[in-house]
Amino acid sequence: RHERPKLFCAIYTHNPARDFTRLAALSYGWKCDGFLAFSTVTIPSLGMVGILHRGEEAYKNMVQKTRSIWSYVATHYLDQFDYFHIGGDDMHVIVENMRSLLLEHESEPIDAREEGQIFGQLASKGSQALFFRGGAGYTIDRIGLKKLHEYMPECATKVHKPAEDNIISMCSRKVGLVLGDNRDSCTGQQRSHSMHPGVLSFARGLSTSELDEQLKFWGLLSHPLEKTVKVGMKIGFESASNHSVTFHQLRYHSWFARHHALLYRACPANTILGKFANRTDDLITEGGA
């Protein structure tokens, strides 16, 4: 048994976004035990693999691309890693916090671990069953990926839609995987964020209907440990757990780089962001991730 679980990180992308692949590799990808970007071309120096799939290369066909990605990963890497995380090329992973989360899942009851687990940010749309949001990523353990891979010939083989997160969640339920809740077990706060920090802080960029949907859904979620307590959706510093693992929608190179620099206090000390990031008052130390 490894001293710590081995983590494989994957992103889905395409060749025009190769700069995001480079950002991902240089910021967090190298901290994972394995990293690949599944694209339309193969560029070994960037960790990019051209992946073939049914149908056209388009956002509206993400279901088929993701099916091929998981099949590729299971075929080549299943026995080399313990957990497998996938998300978009505009996702940033805080690997240190992810490793802590994986250790928590290692302590789950044996029955849950023997059945296989998938976990991430739970979501719901209308009457649909719960699913994991794909942009912020979701994680599957080795047993879970093996089951999913064996079922893949029957998993949405003719579905050509963008909602890969919904479809993979559905197929995971069909093979009996445990759908895990990766919220902070102490505070109930989210640890995977499908929205960028600006939305989390100010609800900026959300339509009224989107915000209402989020508020309604999160308002129904009970605290992970205290089931009689409703956590609800938080805005501002309370929106993110101190142990957050992923952020999504970092759609510009500058956003991605600044986000990483702020998290790791890497901004030059003589810049505005550097001065802010190096503060040690309560605004920073109690402000979440």
Side-chain angles (χ1 to χ4, degrees), residues 7-26:
L7 171 66
F8 182 92
C9 299
I11 60 174
Y12 38 79
T13 185
H14 60 138
N15 190 40
R18 65 170 67 179
D19 285 343
F20 276 107
T21 297
R22 185 173 182 273
L23 281 169
L26 293 176

Side-chain angles (χ1 to χ4, degrees), residues 133-281:
R133 288 190 176 274
Y138 50 91
T139 310
I140 306 179
D141 67 12
R142 183 189 295 164
I143 294 176
L145 181 56
K146 184 175 186 295
K147 286 185 174 182
L148 185 64
H149 180 50
E150 291 171 348
Y151 182 69
M152 203 59 80
E154 300 177 53
C155 173
T157 58
K158 298 180 180 180
V159 176
H160 299 277
K161 293 181 178 180
E164 52 83 23
D165 46 8
N166 205 326
I167 296 299
I168 295 299
S169 298
M170 177 191 71
C171 293
S172 297
R173 285 195 299 272
K174 287 188 176 181
V175 296
L177 301 193
V178 176
L179 273 64
D181 185 349
N182 78 346
R183 289 179 298 157
D184 191 310
S185 58
C186 295
T187 65
Q189 292 168 303
Q190 298 296 325
R191 287 198 277 200
S192 293
H193 307 286
S194 59
M195 298 169 284
H196 64 75
V199 174
L200 294 172
S201 298
F202 309 108
R204 180 183 298 153
L206 281 182
S207 68
T208 301
S209 60
E210 287 176 316
L211 183 58
D212 288 346
E213 180 182 317
Q214 289 292 325
L215 289 170
K216 181 179 179 181
F217 175 66
W218 298 125
L220 295 174
L221 280 181
S222 298
H223 188 285
L225 298 180
E226 301 177 36
K227 300 303 181 182
T228 60
V229 177
K230 303 295 183 183
V231 180
M233 183 178 179
K234 306 290 187 182
I235 298 296
F237 280 140
E238 293 186 352
S239 64
S241 164
N242 283 354
H243 307 286
S244 292
V245 294
T246 59
F247 288 87
H248 181 221
Q249 294 184 341
L250 299 170
R251 292 173 175 166
Y252 305 101
H253 301 150
S254 59
W255 285 15
F256 203 110
R258 288 173 181 171
H259 179 79
H260 180 78
L262 282 168
L263 281 171
Y264 292 93
R265 300 177 184 265
C267 298
N270 62 342
T271 64
I272 293 176
L273 290 177
K275 291 176 182 178
F276 181 83
N278 288 308
R279 288 172 62 176
T280 57
D281 57 28

